[in-house]
Amino acid sequence: MSQVMILMGSDSDIDYMKAAVEELKSAGVSFDIHVASAHRTPHRVMKLVTEAENGDCKVIIAGAGGAAHLAGVIASHTILPVIGVPLPTLGLGGADALLATVQMPRGVPVATVGMGNSANAALLAISIIGTADERLRNWLRDYRKAFEKKILEKDAKIKQQFQ
Amino acid sequence: MSQVMILMGSDSDIDYMKAAVEELKSAGVSFDIHVASAHRTPHRVMKLVTEAENGDCKVIIAGAGGAAHLAGVIASHTILPVIGVPLPTLGLGGADALLATVQMPRGVPVATVGMGNSANAALLAISIIGTADERLRNWLRDYRKAFEKKILEKDAKIKQQFQ
Amino acid sequence: MSQVMILMGSDSDIDYMKAAVEELKSAGVSFDIHVASAHRTPHRVMKLVTEAENGDCKVIIAGAGGAAHLAGVIASHTILPVIGVPLPTLGLGGADALLATVQMPRGVPVATVGMGNSANAALLAISIIGTADERLRNWLRDYRKAFEKKILEKDAKIKQQFQ
Amino acid sequence: MSQVMILMGSDSDIDYMKAAVEELKSAGVSFDIHVASAHRTPHRVMKLVTEAENGDCKVIIAGAGGAAHLAGVIASHTILPVIGVPLPTLGLGGADALLATVQMPRGVPVATVGMGNSANAALLAISIIGTADERLRNWLRDYRKAFEKKILEKDAKIKQQFQ
Amino acid sequence: MSQVMILMGSDSDIDYMKAAVEELKSAGVSFDIHVASAHRTPHRVMKLVTEAENGDCKVIIAGAGGAAHLAGVIASHTILPVIGVPLPTLGLGGADALLATVQMPRGVPVATVGMGNSANAALLAISIIGTADERLRNWLRDYRKAFEKKILEKDAKIKQQFQ
Amino acid sequence: MSQVMILMGSDSDIDYMKAAVEELKSAGVSFDIHVASAHRTPHRVMKLVTEAENGDCKVIIAGAGGAAHLAGVIASHTILPVIGVPLPTLGLGGADALLATVQMPRGVPVATVGMGNSANAALLAISIIGTADERLRNWLRDYRKAFEKKILEKDAKIKQQFQ
Amino acid sequence: MSQVMILMGSDSDIDYMKAAVEELKSAGVSFDIHVASAHRTPHRVMKLVTEAENGDCKVIIAGAGGAAHLAGVIASHTILPVIGVPLPTLGLGGADALLATVQMPRGVPVATVGMGNSANAALLAISIIGTADERLRNWLRDYRKAFEKKILEKDAKIKQQFQ
Amino acid sequence: MSQVMILMGSDSDIDYMKAAVEELKSAGVSFDIHVASAHRTPHRVMKLVTEAENGDCKVIIAGAGGAAHLAGVIASHTILPVIGVPLPTLGLGGADALLATVQMPRGVPVATVGMGNSANAALLAISIIGTADERLRNWLRDYRKAFEKKILEKDAKIKQQFQ
């Protein structure tokens, strides 16, 4: 079994979730990816989560919009860290998904990241696994340095163009 | 088994939920009442819901605050009508519970009533059972007339006092 | 007369409301559909609602945006279960319609479903009529199974593409 | 019949609505005051509004909280100017009442004033009647001057105390 | 001078405000229209408002977005009824303009209508002038009847197409 | 004339505004303080602002709640920096005042600080005057150091008590 | 050094943060606790975070209200998992702290938990450390079982009292 | 060194920030412009801010979206006036950036301007520098006059077209 399991409530969520796939691949972290709905396939979600906890899975990432119960339902079936990615939908701009993901009751936390920001969910998963894996801690340090370098390059360009 | 099952996520929710109890008793509708948490006792919720659907339960009422997944989780395990009562909590004034209860995905509806308004959840349950029960339809008509009479009395008082 | 009456405040709401039509047709539930405005044709609304209650109509579905009084006005004229579908409009993203539909006073509930989610309004209506109709309960069970199957197929595709 | 009719959805709304009574009395504008609910006594509301329009009533003021349909329902039954006062309720702070009062569809306006601000509803009614009544226009001018004087006195006090 | 003065904060607001022009023209109510900004031309606003009050102007309509002080600033310079039309802008969807227009302090009301709904501002102005003008009251009654007729036609079409 | 002018819309705002008084006194910055309302005493506001700009006033601080036009109205009459302090009111929690203060149109900025945070308004005024006054820049550096020291003391206490 | 570091922006936040202390003590997880402000003691925050990362600290928990930059600032200085606890403040009910904590840019995640829910922050930290510590995974399983038992007891009581 | 330093969190923010560049150039105020992220290049931000304060920089302008910590982080490292420009992002419409920028704790203010309104940030910076620079005060007066003239021209056009 893989180190991370990614679940999303609908296959249309993949546009938001694929950034997580990219970051995990880039860090060399193994993962499984599934479409599974808290409301339409609750037993399937339970089965996937139980298998993950019994295997060597370390972290579960769940992306969902609207009432967005997926991350919370997963968290109710496992003691693994669960990361929730609220996804924006038409109308309320994702405020529904954000609140439904983050406002979990005492006892069953969901680690919530920003709206549609599955890249950060993956990076958080990497830092969690990294608490016992020096290679990943170094990967994160390199990732930050690379990001820093890119920003310095953009800084130079902006100055040329506008100053 | 009873006609209605009432579930609430925490025993502290009873202050909001007891109005439902009063209305159901007053209409002579039988009910079961439980504290059961979608996140802290998910299997218990599932068991209660399955038993209710297999018995002669007609409607399930669920009250919860915060991320408020209870009604949605129930709805994922039954095809009975599920009524959700969002409960206010400190901070966000219950907007979290409202959105997490009402914004269910296509296929699994929750019939949501107003913030903390469990009386209306009970009245909605009565009108649902009433679709096949003339006694309850007449009870509802009487309930409305009694309410109307009370308002006319208040109207008379206001006029005396302020006009 | 039909089992369900669908009302919408404006003919432009049909884009949101036609999913209800599809679900009802698919379940073999008879329905009437009307454009009728709580504010611009209040007497017409009253007449349609009274005729529905006096006929064998079981449930009324109302879709409206903005101040969205339609479902509440209908509920004030009938003891039938009324399902409200808040519709998004420009600017406030439908928060106005949601709050105006769901926050009904004690005594007169509206069963509110998610933003623009008329499919769920139809499914809720079917489950309400289903409380006294085994064929519809079975239809709902089949509907859920079909949905589940579709999700499992999507799950298989996602794994092929991204894992 | 009186020049202004005040309606409120519940007798508990009087705490917010009595400021309107005071301003109207102070301006010498005659008024009727009623408790009448859009949802629980819809026919009573209709009757009161029709009588008001047929009498010499000039303006209707309606105060309501929650889904707050009262002003809109009144406006659907009259071409008189209708002033809506959204009232705050627990939880959502009155955002529900504000949006349900102000977001009326094209064709049926409600003149909405600030949250719980029935004094301003009365002053607006006075200015509306004042469009054809010079005494009231002068009363408003005097009212503003008196207010200005009071503020200048408070200004003097603040300077003494804090500067 | 005209019966109604329309002010807007920016010439780009005309897309929202021209519906008011159409309704006033259709009702035969004379009007003046101006671009004038509460913040960028405060003295111009004051001058226009004072001239309006001293002429035979009956009602002022103001449309503005963002901080939307225009209606309130006008109201501070006149005792005429002032109608505010909040206009949506990018980002916050017009919630800023709505709150800045409606939440006026005691003593200085603004009659606020729905987001971008200048047609309703005009209709409200017509009903205000109509309190002393039977022709306009009859015009409003005809307007409502025409609207009702249009909706009945749409109702017939919907039934043909979907039932 | 003083370096800073403080205006507030109502004398009841002083509970929020006195923190500004304390900070200015502590920094040795001279100030005038006034109660003046954008809506109820618009000419008084204009006069105070014009006198301030013609004197040697450097910065104006305005605190207001509700529609909160005060800072914007001041800014429309002066090219001095204007600092707006949104004040919370019942119901909407100050969201109205915040948006009405900050969302000014291009050309007329208001420097907005946090809800009810008049201390920060004073500190911002001091830093603005400090751009040409080394004594004040040093005062601000000392202020920060003193704050830092206080936090370190609290840090020590927390560790003793809870670790 | 300890396994967890708890930081809070102000000593008044301890009322919300002490639940984290209790959970960590109960699980036998070592921790350091500090008052340190992102804005008033930025260098202190940086020093504490660097020392934590260089020691054997595994997870950092940060609680802050208002603009609530603390968790984000910490995350900018470490690749350790950072858990943010948004704290409610007067006025906006904590919506400011929630959004400022959760909406981090790509590259620097903060694992956000519910409003004021520091207990869940501690439980999340325990599950993170638990990914490489079987004793803690078992502790979490026992914690859940104990919670479940408590709810079953409450369930029994509610049934006795209300059914 | 220049009088104003502009920082933005990402180079994609330039679409919003270039209006600041234009206003500063037009006023003849020297400026530096940088891309620098509070979270991804925290040390770079600190270095730029310290250099600015040690040089003759008078005001710092920071634009950022999402959690939008940039202005606050800058303010924690300098006693110069810091102006924050909240930038809208997908989903929440910029409410996150607005609250995260404006709700700073006592002691460390950020002068916040409207959503995406970098032109106003520049004008505020000019008025701040103008407190000790008569040329800039006169420039601002001319700017306002030019704006007024433009509005009068638009006013004339609107009247021709619609009256």
Side-chain angles (χ1 to χ4, degrees):
Chain A
M1 187 155 251
S2 307
Q3 292 166 286
V4 172
M5 184 166 69
I6 302 175
L7 271 79
M8 69 198 83
S10 154
D11 63 329
S12 64
D13 298 337
I14 190 66
D15 288 345
Y16 288 109
M17 298 308 289
K18 66 186 163 196
V21 169
E22 288 161 22
E23 299 289 12
L24 291 175
K25 280 188 176 165
S26 155
V29 168
S30 62
F31 65 93
D32 288 305
I33 185 162
H34 291 287
V35 176
S37 162
H39 300 116
R40 296 178 288 211
T41 61
H43 292 280
R44 171 86 176 144
V45 168
M46 231 181 295
K47 189 165 165 282
L48 288 168
V49 170
T50 308
E51 285 172 9
E53 186 172 331
N54 293 341
D56 62 351
C57 179
K58 300 292 185 202
V59 183
I60 301 177
I61 293 172
H69 296 187
L70 185 57
V73 164
I74 292 169
S76 76
H77 292 300
T78 184
I79 53 100
L80 293 181
V82 177
I83 302 173
V85 187
L87 302 181
T89 39
L90 283 177
L92 301 170
D96 43 4
L98 172 55
L99 295 172
T101 302
V102 79
Q103 286 290 74
M104 293 289 290
R106 187 170 181 161
V108 190
V110 164
T112 307
V113 295
M115 194 70 69
N117 199 336
S118 77
N120 271 7
L123 293 166
L124 182 57
I126 294 165
S127 80
I128 288 171
I129 305 174
T131 56
D133 182 337
E134 200 177 353
R135 186 187 70 79
L136 288 179
R137 288 202 296 279
N138 286 329
W139 183 88
L140 283 168
R141 287 188 189 102
D142 291 345
Y143 179 97
R144 295 262 178 121
K145 270 178 216 148
F147 222 134
E148 201 176 338
K149 212 180 132 197
K150 237 184 299 176
I151 289 175
L152 290 175
E153 287 164 12
K154 286 172 178 175
D155 183 28
K157 267 194 200 156
I158 280 275
K159 287 181 70 167
Q160 282 182 338
Q161 210 178 342
F162 286 94
Q163 208 162 319
Chain B
M1 188 155 250
S2 306
Q3 293 166 284
V4 172
M5 184 166 69
I6 302 175
L7 271 79
M8 68 199 82
S10 153
D11 62 329
S12 63
D13 297 338
I14 190 65
D15 288 345
Y16 288 109
M17 297 308 290
K18 67 185 163 198
V21 170
E22 288 161 22
E23 300 289 11
L24 291 176
K25 280 188 176 166
S26 155
V29 168
S30 62
F31 65 92
D32 288 305
I33 185 163
H34 291 287
V35 176
S37 162
H39 301 114
R40 297 179 287 212
T41 62
H43 291 280
R44 171 86 175 144
V45 169
M46 231 179 298
K47 190 165 166 283
L48 288 168
V49 170
T50 308
E51 285 172 8
E53 186 173 331
N54 293 341
D56 64 350
C57 178
K58 299 293 186 200
V59 183
I60 302 177
I61 293 173
H69 297 185
L70 185 56
V73 163
I74 291 169
S76 76
H77 292 300
T78 183
I79 53 98
L80 294 180
V82 177
I83 301 173
V85 187
L87 302 180
T89 39
L90 283 177
L92 300 170
D96 43 5
L98 173 55
L99 295 172
T101 302
V102 78
Q103 286 289 73
M104 292 289 291
R106 186 168 182 163
V108 191
V110 165
T112 306
V113 295
M115 195 71 68
N117 200 337
S118 77
N120 271 8
L123 293 167
L124 182 57
I126 294 164
S127 80
I128 288 171
I129 305 173
T131 56
D133 182 338
E134 199 178 353
R135 187 187 69 80
L136 288 178
R137 289 202 297 278
N138 286 329
W139 183 89
L140 283 168
R141 288 189 188 102
D142 291 344
Y143 180 97
R144 295 262 178 120
K145 270 179 216 148
F147 222 135
E148 200 175 338
K149 213 182 132 197
K150 236 185 299 176
I151 288 174
L152 290 175
E153 287 165 12
K154 286 172 180 176
D155 183 28
K157 269 195 199 156
I158 281 273
K159 286 181 71 168
Q160 283 182 337
Q161 210 178 342
F162 286 93
Q163 206 162 320
Chain C
M1 189 157 249
S2 307
Q3 292 166 284
V4 173
M5 184 166 68
I6 302 175
L7 271 78
M8 68 199 83
S10 154
D11 62 329
S12 64
D13 298 338
I14 190 66
D15 287 345
Y16 289 108
M17 298 308 289
K18 68 184 161 197
V21 169
E22 288 161 22
E23 301 288 12
L24 291 175
K25 279 187 176 167
S26 156
V29 168
S30 62
F31 66 93
D32 287 306
I33 185 163
H34 291 287
V35 176
S37 161
H39 300 115
R40 297 179 286 213
T41 63
H43 292 281
R44 171 85 176 143
V45 169
M46 229 179 300
K47 190 166 166 285
L48 288 168
V49 171
T50 308
E51 285 173 8
E53 186 172 331
N54 293 341
D56 62 351
C57 179
K58 300 293 185 200
V59 183
I60 301 177
I61 293 173
H69 297 187
L70 184 57
V73 163
I74 291 169
S76 76
H77 292 300
T78 184
I79 52 99
L80 293 180
V82 177
I83 301 173
V85 187
L87 301 180
T89 39
L90 282 175
L92 301 170
D96 44 4
L98 172 55
L99 295 173
T101 302
V102 78
Q103 286 289 74
M104 292 291 289
R106 187 169 182 162
V108 190
V110 164
T112 307
V113 294
M115 195 72 69
N117 200 337
S118 76
N120 271 7
L123 293 168
L124 181 58
I126 294 165
S127 80
I128 288 172
I129 304 173
T131 57
D133 181 339
E134 199 177 354
R135 187 188 69 79
L136 288 178
R137 287 201 298 278
N138 286 329
W139 183 89
L140 283 168
R141 287 188 188 103
D142 291 343
Y143 180 96
R144 294 263 178 120
K145 270 177 215 150
F147 222 134
E148 201 175 339
K149 212 181 131 197
K150 237 185 299 176
I151 289 174
L152 290 175
E153 288 164 12
K154 286 173 178 174
D155 183 27
K157 269 195 201 155
I158 281 273
K159 286 181 72 167
Q160 283 183 337
Q161 210 179 344
F162 286 93
Q163 207 162 320
Chain D
M1 189 155 249
S2 306
Q3 293 166 286
V4 173
M5 183 166 69
I6 302 175
L7 270 80
M8 68 198 82
S10 154
D11 62 330
S12 64
D13 297 338
I14 190 67
D15 288 345
Y16 289 108
M17 297 309 290
K18 67 186 163 196
V21 169
E22 288 162 22
E23 300 289 12
L24 292 175
K25 280 188 175 165
S26 156
V29 168
S30 62
F31 66 93
D32 288 305
I33 184 164
H34 291 287
V35 176
S37 161
H39 300 115
R40 296 179 288 212
T41 61
H43 292 280
R44 172 86 176 143
V45 168
M46 232 180 297
K47 190 166 165 281
L48 288 168
V49 170
T50 308
E51 285 173 9
E53 185 171 332
N54 293 341
D56 63 352
C57 178
K58 299 293 185 201
V59 183
I60 301 177
I61 293 173
H69 298 185
L70 185 56
V73 164
I74 292 169
S76 76
H77 292 298
T78 183
I79 53 99
L80 294 180
V82 177
I83 301 173
V85 187
L87 302 180
T89 39
L90 283 175
L92 300 170
D96 43 5
L98 173 55
L99 294 173
T101 303
V102 78
Q103 286 289 75
M104 292 289 290
R106 187 168 181 163
V108 191
V110 164
T112 307
V113 294
M115 194 72 68
N117 200 336
S118 77
N120 271 8
L123 293 167
L124 182 58
I126 295 165
S127 81
I128 287 171
I129 305 173
T131 57
D133 183 337
E134 200 178 352
R135 186 187 70 79
L136 287 178
R137 288 201 299 277
N138 286 329
W139 183 89
L140 282 168
R141 287 187 188 102
D142 291 345
Y143 179 96
R144 295 262 178 121
K145 270 178 214 148
F147 221 134
E148 200 175 340
K149 214 183 132 194
K150 236 185 299 177
I151 289 174
L152 290 175
E153 287 164 13
K154 286 173 179 176
D155 183 28
K157 269 195 199 156
I158 281 274
K159 287 182 70 169
Q160 283 182 338
Q161 209 178 342
F162 286 92
Q163 206 164 321
Chain E
M1 189 155 250
S2 307
Q3 292 166 285
V4 173
M5 183 165 69
I6 302 174
L7 271 79
M8 68 199 84
S10 155
D11 62 329
S12 64
D13 298 337
I14 190 65
D15 287 345
Y16 289 108
M17 299 307 289
K18 66 185 164 197
V21 169
E22 287 162 22
E23 300 288 13
L24 292 175
K25 280 188 175 165
S26 156
V29 169
S30 63
F31 66 92
D32 287 304
I33 186 164
H34 291 287
V35 176
S37 160
H39 300 117
R40 297 180 286 213
T41 62
H43 291 280
R44 173 83 176 145
V45 169
M46 231 180 298
K47 190 165 165 284
L48 288 168
V49 171
T50 309
E51 285 172 9
E53 185 172 332
N54 294 341
D56 62 352
C57 179
K58 299 293 184 200
V59 183
I60 301 177
I61 293 172
H69 297 187
L70 185 57
V73 163
I74 291 170
S76 76
H77 293 300
T78 183
I79 52 101
L80 294 179
V82 177
I83 300 171
V85 187
L87 302 181
T89 38
L90 283 176
L92 301 169
D96 44 4
L98 173 56
L99 294 173
T101 302
V102 79
Q103 286 289 75
M104 293 289 290
R106 186 168 181 162
V108 190
V110 163
T112 306
V113 294
M115 195 72 68
N117 200 336
S118 77
N120 271 7
L123 293 167
L124 182 58
I126 293 165
S127 80
I128 289 171
I129 305 174
T131 57
D133 182 338
E134 200 178 351
R135 187 187 69 80
L136 288 178
R137 288 201 298 277
N138 286 329
W139 183 89
L140 282 168
R141 287 187 189 104
D142 292 345
Y143 179 97
R144 295 261 178 122
K145 271 177 216 149
F147 223 134
E148 201 175 339
K149 212 181 133 197
K150 237 184 298 176
I151 289 174
L152 289 175
E153 288 164 12
K154 286 173 178 175
D155 184 27
K157 269 194 201 157
I158 282 273
K159 286 181 71 168
Q160 283 182 337
Q161 211 179 341
F162 286 92
Q163 206 162 323
Chain F
M1 188 153 251
S2 307
Q3 291 166 285
V4 173
M5 184 164 70
I6 301 175
L7 272 79
M8 69 198 83
S10 155
D11 62 330
S12 64
D13 297 337
I14 190 65
D15 288 344
Y16 289 108
M17 298 308 290
K18 67 185 162 195
V21 168
E22 287 161 23
E23 300 289 11
L24 292 175
K25 279 189 176 166
S26 156
V29 167
S30 62
F31 67 92
D32 288 305
I33 185 163
H34 291 287
V35 176
S37 161
H39 301 116
R40 296 179 288 213
T41 62
H43 291 281
R44 172 85 176 144
V45 169
M46 232 181 296
K47 190 165 165 284
L48 288 168
V49 170
T50 308
E51 285 172 9
E53 185 172 331
N54 294 341
D56 63 352
C57 178
K58 299 292 185 201
V59 183
I60 301 178
I61 294 172
H69 297 186
L70 185 56
V73 163
I74 291 170
S76 76
H77 293 299
T78 183
I79 52 101
L80 294 180
V82 177
I83 301 172
V85 187
L87 301 181
T89 39
L90 282 175
L92 300 170
D96 45 3
L98 172 55
L99 295 174
T101 302
V102 78
Q103 286 288 75
M104 293 288 291
R106 188 170 181 160
V108 190
V110 164
T112 306
V113 295
M115 196 71 67
N117 201 334
S118 77
N120 271 8
L123 293 167
L124 181 58
I126 293 165
S127 81
I128 288 171
I129 305 173
T131 57
D133 182 338
E134 200 178 352
R135 186 188 70 80
L136 288 178
R137 288 201 298 276
N138 286 328
W139 183 89
L140 282 168
R141 288 188 188 103
D142 291 345
Y143 178 97
R144 295 262 179 122
K145 271 178 214 147
F147 222 133
E148 201 175 338
K149 213 182 130 196
K150 235 184 299 176
I151 289 175
L152 289 175
E153 287 165 12
K154 286 173 178 175
D155 183 27
K157 269 195 201 157
I158 281 273
K159 287 181 71 168
Q160 282 183 339
Q161 210 178 341
F162 286 92
Q163 207 164 321
Chain G
M1 189 154 250
S2 307
Q3 292 166 284
V4 172
M5 184 165 70
I6 302 175
L7 271 80
M8 68 199 82
S10 154
D11 61 331
S12 64
D13 298 338
I14 190 65
D15 288 345
Y16 288 109
M17 298 308 290
K18 66 185 163 198
V21 169
E22 288 161 23
E23 299 289 12
L24 291 176
K25 280 188 176 166
S26 156
V29 168
S30 63
F31 66 92
D32 288 304
I33 185 163
H34 291 287
V35 176
S37 161
H39 300 116
R40 297 179 287 212
T41 62
H43 292 281
R44 172 85 176 144
V45 169
M46 231 180 298
K47 190 166 165 285
L48 288 168
V49 170
T50 309
E51 285 173 8
E53 186 172 330
N54 293 341
D56 63 351
C57 178
K58 299 293 185 201
V59 183
I60 300 177
I61 293 172
H69 296 185
L70 185 56
V73 163
I74 291 169
S76 76
H77 292 300
T78 184
I79 52 100
L80 294 179
V82 177
I83 301 173
V85 187
L87 301 180
T89 39
L90 283 176
L92 300 170
D96 44 4
L98 172 55
L99 295 173
T101 302
V102 78
Q103 285 289 75
M104 293 289 291
R106 186 169 181 161
V108 190
V110 164
T112 306
V113 294
M115 195 70 69
N117 200 337
S118 77
N120 271 7
L123 293 167
L124 182 57
I126 293 165
S127 80
I128 289 171
I129 305 174
T131 57
D133 182 340
E134 200 178 353
R135 186 187 69 79
L136 288 178
R137 288 201 298 278
N138 286 329
W139 182 89
L140 282 168
R141 287 189 188 104
D142 291 344
Y143 179 97
R144 294 263 179 120
K145 271 179 216 149
F147 222 135
E148 201 175 338
K149 211 180 132 197
K150 235 184 302 177
I151 288 174
L152 289 175
E153 287 165 11
K154 286 173 178 173
D155 183 28
K157 269 195 201 157
I158 281 274
K159 286 181 72 168
Q160 283 183 337
Q161 210 179 342
F162 285 94
Q163 207 162 321
Chain H
M1 187 155 251
S2 307
Q3 292 166 285
V4 172
M5 184 165 69
I6 302 175
L7 271 78
M8 69 198 83
S10 154
D11 62 330
S12 64
D13 298 337
I14 190 65
D15 287 346
Y16 288 109
M17 298 308 290
K18 66 186 164 197
V21 169
E22 287 161 22
E23 300 288 11
L24 292 175
K25 280 188 176 166
S26 156
V29 168
S30 62
F31 66 92
D32 288 305
I33 185 163
H34 291 286
V35 176
S37 161
H39 300 117
R40 296 179 287 211
T41 62
H43 292 280
R44 172 85 176 145
V45 169
M46 231 180 297
K47 189 164 166 283
L48 287 169
V49 170
T50 308
E51 284 173 9
E53 185 173 331
N54 293 342
D56 62 351
C57 179
K58 299 293 185 202
V59 182
I60 301 177
I61 294 173
H69 297 185
L70 185 58
V73 163
I74 292 170
S76 75
H77 292 300
T78 183
I79 52 99
L80 293 180
V82 176
I83 301 173
V85 188
L87 302 181
T89 39
L90 283 177
L92 301 170
D96 44 4
L98 173 55
L99 295 173
T101 302
V102 78
Q103 286 289 74
M104 292 289 291
R106 186 168 181 162
V108 190
V110 164
T112 306
V113 295
M115 194 71 68
N117 200 335
S118 77
N120 271 8
L123 293 166
L124 182 58
I126 293 166
S127 81
I128 288 171
I129 305 174
T131 57
D133 182 337
E134 200 177 353
R135 187 188 69 79
L136 287 178
R137 288 201 298 278
N138 286 329
W139 183 89
L140 281 167
R141 287 188 189 103
D142 291 346
Y143 179 97
R144 295 261 178 121
K145 270 178 216 147
F147 222 134
E148 201 175 338
K149 213 181 132 197
K150 236 184 300 176
I151 288 173
L152 290 175
E153 288 165 12
K154 286 172 179 176
D155 183 29
K157 268 194 200 157
I158 281 275
K159 288 181 70 167
Q160 284 181 338
Q161 212 179 340
F162 286 91
Q163 207 162 321

